[in-house]
Each structure stands twice: as structure tokens, then as C-alpha cells.
Amino acid sequence: RPNPDSVVDNDLAWFLLTVRPPALRDPALARELAERAVVATRRAWPDALDTLSLAEERLGRLDIAIALESEAAELPDGLFAYSLEDRMVDLLSRRGEPEKVEKFLRRNLARRLAVKGADEVRSARTRQLLGAHLRQVRRIEEAEREQRAALATLERLRPPGDWRRVLGGVELAATLVAQGRHAEAESLLLAAWRSLEGLPAVEPSDRQAIAEGLAALYTDRSRPTDAALWRNRADEQREP
């Protein structure tokens, strides 16, 4: 376990990297603090490596950020963190290496499934990310298979209205839209919007993603009034 000083250093570094407004951020100081936490924990605490990775990214050193994020993800505790996987996919995608994104996700999925008493919800998240990636590289049928497998797992393990389950439907809907299967996608997106309306702590970006999906869907179906309505709802969710 990290010592208290390392936790303070890491938390302060993260604050300096994410505080709003962005003008208050100080990635150089954050890097110093995160590096101190990494050294103090002997590079064994994935949170500190993740924070240092973000600091390097904010300083424009993408290759170093990717190396640090990969190091964090390879740690035993790193296997169970949602954020590391998401960030690794984002960093590799920004560097324009789709083959490495797929390799990373398939390896992570295999590692997660190999753990005794595997956390199937986290494995479902990996499948969602893999499906989204496959959709981006136009391997649509493979994307649908991964996303349906993820959604089936979440429907079995999570109650109706659970945000993971809801967003699983949103990911599948995006793939259905890419196939021109608008009616099925519309049903999933509207159900997702209704489900999130009843949840107290939902990220505005999640509602925004649903609204943007519906706006795009109605644009494709030549329903401009509905498309405008959902574009406005998407704009309402944007951060100032």
C-alpha cells in the first residue's frame, strides 16, 4: 500500500492536472509530485504511474505518457482499474496506432478472464472498448459481436438502470447506426436516455453522448425537427 505522503503527492498532482478552469493547472509541478510518488512506491502503485503519465501527456511527451500508462496497466492492481484501460486506448489512438489498440485490448481481456473469480463487469468494459475500436476501423460485424457479448453480461449482472448497463446499450446503438439499423438503435438510445434521467450522479458527457447519437440518427433518417431537438439537448450537457 502507498504511504500517506505518496497519496498526498499523487492527489495533489492529479488536482493540478485536472482543476478547472484549465488556466489554474500546473503540469510541471504535477510532474514533480507524481514522480516523487512513483519513486516512493517503487513503481508498484498504478495510480501514481497513471498520474505521471497524464502529466507527461500535458507536457506534450506522448511517447513517455504511453510507456508509463502501459507500465501501470501491466501491474497486478492495474488490471482492475477502468481508467487505465480507457486512457491507454485514448493515448494509442491519438498516436495513430490502431493495431496496438486492438492488441492491448485483446491481451487485457485475456488477462482479466484468466483471473480466478474474474470480474465479469470489468471484462464487459474491455469488450465495449474493443467493440468501439472495431467500429472505428470499420469491422462492424466483429464490433457488434463484442458489444452484444458485453451487454449480455451487464444485463445478467447489473440491475436495470445501472449506468454500466445503460451505456452498454449506447455503445451497441452506435454500431447499429453504422449498419443502418436505425429502428433498433433508436429504441436503445431512447431507453438509455430515460434510464439516466432517473439517476442522481451521471456525468453530463454520458447524456451528451446519447443526445448526439439520437441527433445523428434522426439526421440520417431525414427528421430535421427531431435532430435539432436532440442537438439542443446535447448542447445543454456540454461543460461551459
Side-chain angles (χ1 to χ4, degrees), residues 139-156:
R139 290 159 59 184
I140 304 298
E141 291 184 0
E142 293 176 75
E144 183 182 352
R145 282 198 298 272
E146 294 294 346
Q147 288 167 339
R148 285 198 182 277
L151 185 56
T153 296
L154 294 169
E155 288 176 340
R156 177 167 53 86

Side-chain angles (χ1 to χ4, degrees), residues 4-191:
D5 288 343
S6 299
V7 172
V8 171
D9 282 344
N10 182 71
D11 288 352
L12 180 54
W14 189 263
F15 172 79
L16 291 170
L17 292 165
T18 59
V19 64
R20 293 185 180 280
L24 297 176
R25 295 174 185 174
D26 189 340
L29 178 55
R31 184 192 179 283
E32 292 180 21
L33 292 165
E35 179 69 41
R36 193 161 68 189
V38 166
V39 171
T41 55
R42 301 182 181 181
R43 310 189 78 86
W45 186 28
D47 287 14
L49 287 163
D50 180 40
T51 302
L52 183 57
S53 170
L54 180 58
E56 295 289 3
E57 177 193 349
R58 294 279 165 82
L59 291 167
R61 296 192 276 260
L62 188 60
D63 287 348
I64 296 175
I66 289 172
L68 288 163
E69 205 68 38
S70 178
E71 184 179 352
E74 288 296 319
L75 291 171
D77 287 346
L79 185 61
F80 302 102
Y82 284 108
S83 60
L84 297 185
E85 191 173 51
D86 285 55
R87 268 194 37 81
M88 189 67 178
V89 169
D90 177 62
L91 290 169
L92 290 172
S93 298
R94 286 169 50 199
R95 197 164 68 175
E97 297 183 320
E99 69 288 345
K100 290 189 177 181
V101 173
E102 181 175 355
K103 182 179 179 180
F104 167 73
L105 288 171
R106 291 196 183 280
R107 183 170 184 277
N108 229 32
L109 180 60
R111 289 174 66 211
R112 283 182 164 169
L113 293 175
V115 174
K116 185 176 181 180
D119 184 336
E120 293 184 79
V121 173
R122 282 189 169 86
S123 298
R125 176 58 184 159
T126 306
R127 288 191 187 278
Q128 287 175 335
L129 289 170
L130 179 58
H133 169 71
L134 291 169
R135 182 178 67 243
Q136 289 171 357
V137 297
R138 308 305 300 170
R139 290 159 59 184
I140 304 298
E141 291 184 0
E142 293 176 75
E144 183 182 352
R145 282 198 298 272
E146 294 294 346
Q147 288 167 339
R148 285 198 182 277
L151 185 56
T153 296
L154 294 169
E155 288 176 340
R156 177 167 53 86
L157 296 175
R158 308 303 302 176
D162 178 86
W163 67 270
R164 299 173 189 83
R165 180 170 167 172
V166 170
L167 296 181
V170 174
E171 286 287 349
L172 176 58
T175 298
L176 295 173
V177 169
Q179 296 172 295
R181 293 158 63 183
H182 294 109
E184 190 176 355
E186 180 184 18
S187 177
L188 285 168
L189 289 169
L190 289 173

